[in-house]
């Protein structure tokens, strides 16, 4: 048993799938064979990296990690909020136009196919309630109160997570990329606190045992090799992040300019019953880390974090948005391989067996 | 964010959401609070005591029942170690017992109900309790406390004790106590039922009650169940049930409905008592009553029988006084009838003495041959009259008995009389005597009507007569054989009757302990004496019954004596003073001066000391004899007195005077 290491989620889609998605709606059943092939191939290659925990590479999240569950809902419009990235491109959220709020796709549906091919534990990523909360517009929707929306949102999220656990996901990771964005939008931290409150409200529906299989992922947003909040001070986020009532945290760290400073903050705020998976692979950087680099990053982290609470992960998914082809599948798997091997090397050095 | 307006709106949405998030959280917290409150109310509403602890075993909650039973209020108890609040000891040893909640906390398991635990409340009150405890676990399954549930078991304990007592009573009862369901299935079966019916509880329970009901009484059970179903009780219902070995048993049943806690009749309890003995006793009593009635009728008949010839005889004497032959013939007839009546009354008095345990034997060493001779002498006339062939076989060697000659002669006399009466004219009777070891064995055998086998066991019972005498005139009260048995047993012997059945004759065998040899006994005490010879004497007869006094006086005169008669005690004393009789026959129950007083006065005179005074009385019990002797009488005769009795007594008294020894009263 080495230091635990897990992926974040997405792997660039297969070229055949991307070609098909370019001309066909992602929900078209005609794509099923391609999804099947993409999932099978992804899992095969994932397992070949030696990663003890795998994902389906989010091959079936044919739009993105954020809106996969609401994409195509009749009571939404495409003119939701815009999320600007550092390279100038914009992603836009759907806007809820009427109630009630329901998911169109639950992530546990992806597990059916993944578990069919997987021989290793499969992890499933879901979007956070706080991210989806931004779908409700400023103006009150007639006949569907904000209050009711929040309650529906929590119910849908809890249903999705619990279904994933019940189907056999070894971990359910809640993507909380908007955490750092919240700090950017509201430096006072109030917005972040609201997001954390909302997520905790949802997490309170789970048992302590269930929460040991649930984690929170935070990163500055990675899309087309740029971020939406990379320039924001991580410290502000981390000071609040560990208030989330969950057992696991996946924190992007590899791309941080001052990792020791971030690690110091983590050391200060990490609670005894929490495990932190630090990002040791920069998912944006096209260069493939060597295992040694990874090893050194782990050993560096171990100086701040008790090794029994330490884990490793990639900074982010390699293709959170389906159409992001800036990173190849091969690179992604090589990076993953480096994470696995590097973590193992570090484990040996740190005496973790 | 390049578009400040966009950014502003995004923030606005987030903050607007915040209000809803706050409300949702508040609602969730309210819900949680309500759940907690509901849980608290639930625990408080439970009829059992509930105590919760934290993981250290310190009290966090007590419900009202727990407060009452421990004597601790919630406010006082919270934070205290459970062992302080919930003090328990073993009922038997009074030593502190392992606290179930702490054990549940320690072992992480549910600790089940414990028995024999006593809770000591804060004020020292002790109550038996039942308790159980379970660990309280968090979501991850880690013990974070314990919950203890307990209840006051006083009522249950009392109920158990009462039930145990009840069960012990049922189990130890001599009566069969059985319960059954309304469809007649046996539900319980006590030891009494096992003893009475022979089935073990395992064999009986679950079976139909018809197991013990005879086929011809199944309707009876249906009727009983119908009555029970209506709530009726069946008391002292006498019927018959059948035991495992097929034996039928007379029983008395009392059956009551069994009701469940809601009052619904669900079965019946039956108490069955074996009344076989009572039935036998009742049958015996009925039979005894019948025999008594028969006896009274027989007695009246037997006593009336001689009266007719006696009256006839008197008429003959009156009418044919001039014809000496007719008078003599009538006299003989009257004498026979009188003798018969006397014998009847003597037998009755003897039986009365025996049944009242007042018969005393005058034991002496007697020769068996003398006993048999005496008996044969009495019965021979009747045997000869009946034309029976009579054979007596006696042993060559004398057999000596320690016996009352008169009573033992009465035994053999009765047996011979019996054979005479129940053997057809011209039959055969054998009397055989022999020594067998230390016993004299005398058997009387006849060719008579015999005895049915079923009657043999009762042949010696009082008033038992198996069949009619072959001579209707012979009659009898049916007490002869009872007297035989009683007298033989008083002598330490046995008597047995044998018969091969009706018409096959009967053998009675008497066994009496014999003394070792004839030479062991003093000769002087053996023998029955010889009849007195008549010599002229002065005799005073004192009796307030003129007929008795005059007839006795006439009789004594006819025998050649000088006789005077007095009709009361004073007259007797006066006549005695002048007449100076040699013998006085003194009736005891006289007016003016009774026989005792008259005797005492005569004895006080110098001339009266040598007179032989013989008491005459209708009472012949020992105490009567003692009283007459104490008054000064030399002898005591019971009326009616026969001449031979009087002569024998006089002879004995004279012999005793000559020998200087007192005669027996």
């Amino acid at each position: 048993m080495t230091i635990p290491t897990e992926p974040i989620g997405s792997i660039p889609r297969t070229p055949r799938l991307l070609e098909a998605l370019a001309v066909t709606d992602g929900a078209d059943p005609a794509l099923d064979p391609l999804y099947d092939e993409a999932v099978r191939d992804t899992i095969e290659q994932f397992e070949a990296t030696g990663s003890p925990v795998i994902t389906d590479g989010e091959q079936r999240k044919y739009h993105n990690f954020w809106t996969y569950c609401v994409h195509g809902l009749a009571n939404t419009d495409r003119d939701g909020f815009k999320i600007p990235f550092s390279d100038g491109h914009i992603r836009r959220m759907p806007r809820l136009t009427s109630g009630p709020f329901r998911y169109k796709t639950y992530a546990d549906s992806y597990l059916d196919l993944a578990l069919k091919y997987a021989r290793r534990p499969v992890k499933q990523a879901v979007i956070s309630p706080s991210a989806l909360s931004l779908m409700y517009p400023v103006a009150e929707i007639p006949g569907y109160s904000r209050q009711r929306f929040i309650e529906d949102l929590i119910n849908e999220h809890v249903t999705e997570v619990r279904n994933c656990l019940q189907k056999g996901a070894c971990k359910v990771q809640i993507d909380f990329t908007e955490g750092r964005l919240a700090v950017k939008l509201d430096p006072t931290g109030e917005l972040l606190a609201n997001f954390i409150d909302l997520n905790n409200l949802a997490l309170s529906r789970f048992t302590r045992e269930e929460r040991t299989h649930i984690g929170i992922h935070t990163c500055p947003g990675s899309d087309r090799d740029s971020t939406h909040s990379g320039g924001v001070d991580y410290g502000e986020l981390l000071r609040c992040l560990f208030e989330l009532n969950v057992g696991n945290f996946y924190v992007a760290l590899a791309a941080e300019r001052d990792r020791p400073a971030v690690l110091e903050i983590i050391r200060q705020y990490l609670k005894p019953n929490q495990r932190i998976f630090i990002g040791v692979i920069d998912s944006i950087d096209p260069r493939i880390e060597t295992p040694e680099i990874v090893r050194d990053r782990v050993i560096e982290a171990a100086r701040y974090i008790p090794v029994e609470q330490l884990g490793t992960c990639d900074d982010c998914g390699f293709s959170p948005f389906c159409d992001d082809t800036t990173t190849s599948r091969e690179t992604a798997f090589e990076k993953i391989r480096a994470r696995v091997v590097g973590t193992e090397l570090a484990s040996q050095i740190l005496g973790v067996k | 964010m390049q578009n400040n307006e966009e950014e502003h709106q995004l923030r606005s949405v987030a903050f607007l959401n915040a209000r809803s998030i706050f409300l949702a959280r508040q609602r969730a917290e309210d819900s949680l609070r309500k759940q907690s409150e509901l849980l608290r109310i639930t625990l408080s509403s439970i009829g059992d005591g509930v105590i919760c602890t934290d993981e250290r075993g310190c009290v966090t909650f007590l419900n009202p029942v727990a407060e009452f039973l421990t004597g601790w209020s919630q406010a006082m108890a919270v934070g205290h170690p459970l062992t302080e609040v919930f003090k328990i000891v073993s009922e038997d040893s009074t030593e502190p017992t392992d606290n179930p909640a702490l054990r549940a906390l320690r072992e992480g398991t549910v600790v089940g109900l414990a028995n024999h635990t006593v809770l000591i409340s804060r004020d020292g009150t002790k109550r038996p309790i039942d308790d159980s405890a379970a660990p309280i676990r968090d979501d991850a399954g880690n013990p974070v406390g314990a919950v203890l549930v307990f209840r006051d078991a006083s009522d249950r304990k009392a109920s158990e004790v009462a039930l145990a007592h009840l069960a012990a009573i049922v189990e130890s009862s001599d009566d069969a106590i059985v319960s059954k369901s309304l469809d007649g299935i046996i539900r319980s079966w006590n030891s009494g039922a096992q003893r009475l019916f022979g089935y073990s509880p395992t064999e009986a329970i679950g079976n139909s009650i018809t197991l013990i009901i005879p086929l011809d009484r199944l309707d009876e059970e249906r009727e009983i169940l119908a009555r029970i179903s209506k709530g009726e009780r069946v008391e002292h219902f006498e019927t018959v049930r059948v035991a495992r070995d097929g034996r039928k048993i007379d029983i008395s049943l009392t059956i009551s409905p069994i009701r469940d806690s809601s009052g619904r009749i669900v079965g019946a309890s039956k108490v069955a008592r074996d009344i076989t003995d009572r039935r036998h006793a009742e049958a015996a009593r009925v039979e005894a009553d019948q025999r008594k009635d028969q006896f009274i009728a027989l007695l009246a008949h037997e006593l009336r029988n001689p009266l007719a010839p006696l009256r006839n005889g008197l008429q003959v004497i009156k009418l044919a006084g001039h014809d000496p032959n007719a008078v003599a013939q009538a006299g003989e007839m009257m004498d026979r009838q009188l003798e018969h009546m006397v014998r009847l009354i003597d037998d009755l008095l003897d039986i009365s003495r025996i049944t009242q345990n007042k018969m005393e034997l005058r034991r002496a060493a007697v020769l068996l041959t003398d006993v048999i001779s005496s008996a044969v002498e009495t019965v021979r006339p009747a045997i000869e009259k009946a034309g029976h062939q009579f054979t007596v076989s006696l042993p060559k060697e004398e057999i000596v008995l320690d016996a009352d000659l008169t009573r033992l002669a009465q035994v053999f006399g009765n047996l011979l009389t019996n054979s005479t009466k129940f053997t057809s004219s011209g039959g055969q009777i054998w009397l055989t005597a022999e020594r067998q070891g230390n016993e004299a064995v005398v058997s009387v055998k006849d060719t008579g009507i015999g005895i049915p086998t079923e009657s043999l066991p009762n042949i010696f019972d009082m008033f038992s007569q198996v069949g009619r005498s072959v001579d209707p005139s012979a009659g009898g009260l049916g007490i002869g054989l009872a007297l035989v048995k009683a007298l033989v047993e008083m002598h330490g012997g046995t008597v047995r009757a044998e018969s091969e059945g009706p018409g096959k004759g009967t053998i009675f065998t008497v066994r009496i302990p014999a003394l070792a040899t004839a030479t062991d006994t003093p000769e002087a005490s053996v023998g029955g004496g010889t009849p007195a010879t008549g010599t002229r004497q002065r005799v005073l007869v004192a009796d307030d019954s003129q007929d008795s006094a005059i007839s006795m006086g006439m009789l004594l005169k006819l025998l050649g004596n000088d006789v005077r008669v007095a009709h009361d005690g004073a007259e007797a004393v006066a006549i005695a003073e002048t007449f100076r009789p040699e013998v006085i026959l003194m009736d005891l129950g006289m007016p003016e001066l009774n026989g005792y007083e008259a005797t005492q006065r005569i004895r006080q005179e110098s001339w009266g000391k040598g007179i032989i005074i013989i008491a005459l009385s209708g009472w012949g019990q020992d105490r009567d004899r003692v009283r007459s002797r104490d008054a000064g009488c030399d002898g005591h005769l019971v009326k009616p007195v026969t001449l031979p009795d009087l002569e024998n007594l006089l002879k004995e008294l004279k012999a005793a005077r000559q020998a200087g020894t007192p005669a027996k009263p």
Side-chain angles (χ1 to χ4, degrees):
Chain A
M1 180 100 182
T2 62
I3 290 170
T5 182
E6 296 180 13
I8 290 303
S10 61
I11 299 289
R13 283 39 169 190
T14 60
R16 275 164 56 89
L17 182 57
L18 285 173
E19 284 171 21
L21 286 172
V23 294
T24 315
D25 183 86
D28 189 340
L31 294 180
D32 285 352
L34 288 176
Y35 285 130
D36 191 288
E37 182 192 343
V39 169
R40 184 187 53 73
D41 182 71
T42 302
I43 286 176
E44 195 175 295
Q45 293 200 55
F46 226 133
E47 290 182 342
T49 65
S51 181
V53 174
I54 62 168
T55 71
D56 66 352
E58 302 186 357
Q59 300 298 296
R60 297 190 66 182
K61 287 185 178 172
Y62 55 82
H63 194 261
N64 62 62
F65 75 99
W66 191 316
T67 62
Y68 68 92
C69 54
V70 295
H71 187 79
L73 278 176
N75 56 345
T76 59
D77 208 338
R78 291 185 178 181
D79 60 349
F81 291 112
K82 298 170 188 165
I83 299 170
F85 283 78
S86 53
D87 64 353
H89 81 276
I90 288 172
R91 293 288 183 181
R92 190 154 200 166
M93 289 184 63
R95 177 176 60 86
L96 190 68
T97 56
S98 65
F101 175 77
R102 296 289 183 270
Y103 282 9
K104 185 170 188 196
T105 303
Y106 295 90
D108 62 88
S109 63
Y110 305 141
L111 279 169
D112 297 334
L113 192 55
L115 290 169
K116 181 176 159 190
Y117 295 113
R119 286 169 296 178
R120 296 197 175 184
V122 176
K123 176 180 182 178
Q124 181 61 53
V126 300
I127 190 62
S128 68
S130 52
L132 294 173
S133 71
L134 299 174
M135 286 177 67
Y136 197 96
V138 176
E140 189 91 359
I141 298 172
Y144 187 59
S145 70
R146 190 180 303 274
Q147 173 83 41
R148 183 66 192 271
F149 164 72
I150 291 296
E151 286 170 3
D152 284 346
L153 172 61
I154 291 170
N155 287 340
E156 289 296 281
H157 172 76
V158 170
T159 300
E160 181 180 51
V161 173
R162 187 157 278 142
N163 284 352
C164 289
L165 291 172
Q166 286 175 352
K167 280 190 176 175
C170 69
K171 286 279 178 63
V172 176
Q173 173 188 287
I174 300 169
D175 288 335
F176 184 47
T177 187
E178 71 282 9
R180 197 156 169 174
L181 181 61
V183 176
K184 178 183 170 186
L185 293 175
D186 179 20
T188 66
E190 198 172 341
L191 182 58
L192 175 63
N194 284 338
F195 282 175
I196 287 176
D197 273 356
L198 177 59
N199 292 335
N200 266 342
L201 202 54
L203 289 167
S204 69
R205 301 273 192 91
F206 297 102
T207 66
R208 182 177 294 198
E209 167 66 10
E210 285 172 326
R211 286 196 294 267
T212 62
H213 297 280
I214 299 173
I216 291 284
H217 167 55
T218 185
C219 67
S222 171
D223 185 29
R224 299 181 188 172
D225 289 346
S226 68
T227 64
H228 55 61
S229 52
V232 176
D233 181 16
Y234 223 159
E236 292 302 317
L237 170 63
L238 293 176
R239 285 186 186 93
C240 298
L241 186 71
F242 296 112
E243 291 303 316
L244 281 164
N245 191 10
V246 72
N248 306 282
F249 292 87
Y250 304 89
V251 179
L253 189 63
E256 287 298 311
R257 285 186 297 274
D258 187 359
R259 283 196 301 276
V262 176
L263 286 167
E264 175 56 28
I265 296 168
I266 293 172
R267 187 187 67 75
Q268 285 181 33
Y269 293 98
L270 184 67
K271 295 178 181 173
N273 58 344
Q274 296 172 335
R275 183 185 287 276
I276 184 155
F277 293 78
I278 56 161
V280 290
I281 297 293
D282 184 348
S283 50
I284 294 176
D285 188 346
R287 291 171 299 177
I288 297 169
E289 291 84 349
T290 63
E292 288 71 22
I293 290 174
V294 172
R295 175 199 64 194
D296 294 344
R297 287 174 180 169
V298 176
I299 291 172
E300 179 186 44
R303 292 191 194 109
Y304 299 89
I305 300 165
V307 72
E308 62 273 13
Q309 289 181 265
L310 184 61
T312 64
C313 62
D314 309 316
D315 266 3
C316 192
F318 292 99
S319 181
F321 291 82
C322 178
D323 56 359
D324 180 3
T325 55
T326 51
T327 303
S328 69
R329 285 167 67 83
E330 291 72 19
T331 299
F333 286 126
E334 282 305 310
K335 280 179 169 276
I336 289 169
R337 194 187 310 278
R339 169 170 58 79
V340 172
V341 175
T343 302
E344 197 169 308
L345 289 172
S347 296
Q348 289 172 4
I349 291 168
L350 293 170
V352 179
K353 291 183 180 177
Chain B
M1 183 79 58
Q2 293 175 357
N3 187 334
N4 284 339
E5 180 59 25
E6 189 84 11
E7 197 174 312
H8 174 72
Q9 284 206 2
L10 192 57
R11 266 204 308 272
S12 297
V13 166
F15 288 125
L16 286 169
N17 284 350
R19 171 70 185 158
S20 297
I21 293 165
F22 171 77
L23 291 172
R25 190 174 61 203
Q26 205 169 42
R27 180 178 283 191
E29 286 171 356
D30 282 351
S31 172
L32 197 62
R33 232 184 340 265
K34 281 178 184 167
Q35 281 183 18
S36 296
E37 182 61 10
L38 184 64
L39 179 64
R40 192 192 66 75
I41 292 169
T42 304
L43 291 177
S44 297
S45 305
I46 291 175
D48 292 344
V50 177
I51 298 178
C52 299
T53 74
D54 60 18
E55 71 278 8
R56 297 167 301 148
C58 290
V59 173
T60 57
F61 172 82
L62 268 88
N63 76 347
V65 177
E67 285 181 325
F68 171 75
L69 292 176
T70 62
W72 287 71
S73 69
Q74 159 98 0
M76 285 192 302
V78 168
H80 282 265
L82 180 63
T83 46
E84 279 183 28
V85 177
F86 187 72
K87 279 186 185 172
I88 50 173
V89 296
S90 163
E91 187 180 57
D92 300 323
S93 67
T94 68
E95 292 293 320
T97 58
D98 197 10
N99 195 298
L102 299 183
R103 197 174 137 209
L105 206 54
R106 195 171 59 240
E107 299 176 2
T109 56
V110 175
V111 178
L113 288 174
N115 288 324
H116 312 300
T117 301
V118 170
L119 171 68
I120 303 175
S121 74
R122 202 154 180 255
D123 64 1
T125 305
K126 293 179 180 176
R127 291 184 183 87
I129 56 161
D130 293 332
D131 53 40
S132 69
I136 303 172
R137 297 176 187 279
D138 63 11
D139 292 341
N142 302 312
V144 294
V147 57
L148 174 69
V149 180
F150 59 103
R151 68 177 59 178
D152 185 351
S154 303
D155 289 347
R156 182 180 62 75
K157 287 269 178 187
S159 176
E160 280 176 2
V161 169
L163 277 175
H165 283 169
L166 205 55
I169 290 168
V170 168
E171 199 52 27
S172 60
S173 170
D174 282 339
D175 292 336
I177 301 177
V178 174
S179 68
K180 61 184 179 184
S181 56
L182 282 181
D183 55 0
I185 301 300
I186 298 167
R187 297 299 182 204
S188 66
W189 187 262
N190 77 335
S191 299
Q194 181 170 4
R195 277 194 298 274
L196 186 58
F197 300 116
Y199 294 100
S200 70
T202 313
E203 292 168 322
I205 293 171
N207 255 310
S208 168
I209 196 70
T210 53
L211 187 70
I212 56 168
I213 300 176
L215 289 176
D216 57 350
R217 289 183 185 259
L218 289 177
D219 286 345
E220 183 182 275
E221 176 63 11
R222 278 190 283 274
E223 286 169 22
I224 288 171
L225 280 175
R227 288 179 63 186
I228 290 297
S229 299
K230 289 184 209 162
E232 292 178 26
R233 183 179 154 93
V234 179
E235 291 190 10
H236 309 304
F237 176 70
E238 295 192 359
T239 183
V240 174
R241 291 291 179 261
V242 62
R244 184 180 187 172
D245 58 9
R247 188 170 36 90
K248 293 204 172 168
I249 308 165
D250 291 314
I251 60 167
S252 169
L253 277 180
T254 294
I255 308 167
S256 309
I258 299 173
R259 297 172 191 273
D260 64 11
S261 55
S262 64
R264 193 168 55 96
I265 296 168
V266 294
S269 69
K270 355 179 20 164
V271 179
R273 175 164 293 179
D274 184 356
I275 56 169
T276 307
D277 289 346
R278 201 188 81 199
R279 280 278 167 87
H280 287 170
E282 282 173 1
R285 195 182 68 238
V286 169
E287 191 182 341
D289 284 348
Q290 285 174 345
R291 277 201 213 159
K292 189 176 72 183
D293 292 344
Q294 286 170 358
F295 169 73
I296 289 169
L298 195 61
L299 180 61
H301 179 260
E302 289 294 317
L303 290 175
R304 184 178 288 275
N305 272 347
L307 293 179
L310 281 172
R311 179 175 285 167
N312 292 341
L314 287 172
Q315 290 295 327
V316 168
I317 292 169
K318 278 184 188 172
L319 296 172
H322 59 280
D323 183 350
N325 286 336
V327 171
Q329 199 173 352
E332 283 176 17
M333 181 268 291
M334 290 171 73
D335 189 50
R336 277 199 307 278
Q337 294 303 326
L338 194 63
E339 182 62 29
H340 182 61
M341 283 186 74
V342 168
R343 199 163 57 240
L344 281 176
I345 292 166
D346 280 349
D347 278 356
L348 281 172
L349 290 173
D350 285 346
I351 281 292
S352 168
R353 285 190 196 103
I354 287 170
T355 53
Q356 294 179 65
N357 206 21
K358 288 177 180 170
M359 167 74 83
E360 280 187 17
L361 295 181
R362 297 179 188 182
R363 283 177 181 266
V366 295
L367 293 174
L368 178 61
T369 49
D370 286 347
V371 174
I372 292 172
S373 295
S374 176
V376 168
E377 188 180 328
T378 310
V379 184
R380 188 180 291 280
I383 294 173
E384 288 174 355
K385 187 182 175 189
H388 298 318
Q389 190 178 336
F390 181 42
T391 307
V392 178
S393 301
L394 298 173
K396 290 177 183 173
E397 188 185 349
E398 286 286 10
I399 300 173
V400 184
L401 308 172
D402 177 29
D404 183 326
L405 186 145
T406 307
R407 294 301 182 189
L408 207 50
Q410 192 178 355
V411 167
F412 299 124
N414 277 3
L415 291 176
L416 287 169
T417 300
N418 213 56
S419 289
T420 305
K421 282 163 63 178
F422 293 101
T423 300
S424 299
S425 183
Q428 279 191 289
I429 298 172
W430 295 268
L431 186 147
T432 307
E434 60 178 345
R435 172 187 278 272
Q436 288 182 5
N438 293 326
E439 289 182 327
V441 180
V442 180
S443 56
V444 175
K445 179 181 173 185
D446 62 48
T447 55
I449 62 171
I451 303 169
T453 306
E454 64 272 16
S455 299
L456 281 171
N458 306 318
I459 197 70
F460 294 105
D461 290 351
M462 196 83 80
F463 316 130
S464 171
Q465 272 193 333
V466 171
R468 301 292 300 168
S469 162
V470 293
D471 176 9
S473 66
L477 294 173
I479 57 176
L481 288 178
L483 200 53
V484 164
K485 184 168 185 281
L487 289 172
V488 167
E489 286 175 352
M490 286 180 75
H491 280 87
T494 60
V495 60
R496 183 179 174 203
E498 294 168 88
S499 174
E500 293 181 0
K504 299 287 180 64
T506 306
I507 306 174
F508 286 95
T509 305
V510 175
R511 293 174 176 273
I512 301 284
L515 295 177
T517 60
T519 53
D520 291 343
T521 55
E523 286 183 13
S525 63
V526 177
T530 53
T533 52
T535 52
R536 183 181 176 82
Q537 296 184 89
R538 290 187 303 280
V539 180
L540 171 61
V541 178
D543 196 331
D544 62 336
S545 166
Q546 294 205 357
D547 287 347
S548 290
I550 291 169
S551 61
M552 179 57 80
M554 286 175 67
L555 196 61
L556 290 168
K557 276 181 184 173
L558 286 171
L559 291 171
N561 294 297
D562 185 4
V563 179
R564 296 287 186 276
V565 174
H567 296 298
D568 59 50
E571 189 181 9
V573 175
I575 292 175
E577 187 171 6
T578 55
F579 180 52
R580 302 290 170 94
E582 292 163 276
V583 176
I584 300 176
L585 300 180
M586 182 76 79
D587 180 29
L588 296 175
M590 291 186 293
E592 299 294 330
L593 205 62
N594 66 31
Y596 300 111
E597 293 165 333
T599 301
Q600 285 170 340
R601 289 203 185 172
I602 290 168
R603 288 295 188 212
Q604 286 169 359
E605 302 299 332
S606 57
W607 49 264
K609 296 194 184 337
I611 300 172
I612 292 173
I613 303 178
I614 296 171
L616 297 179
S617 173
W619 307 107
Q621 306 282 9
D622 288 344
R623 65 170 180 272
D624 305 316
R625 293 175 188 276
V626 169
R627 192 176 171 196
S628 66
R629 186 184 62 196
D630 290 347
C633 293
D634 297 294
H636 187 114
L637 288 172
V638 180
K639 292 178 182 178
V641 178
T642 63
L643 202 53
D645 286 343
L646 180 60
E647 286 176 336
N648 282 339
L649 181 59
L650 284 170
K651 188 180 172 185
E652 271 184 41
L653 291 172
K654 283 181 178 175
R657 288 227 169 154
Q658 287 166 4
T661 55
K664 292 175 184 173

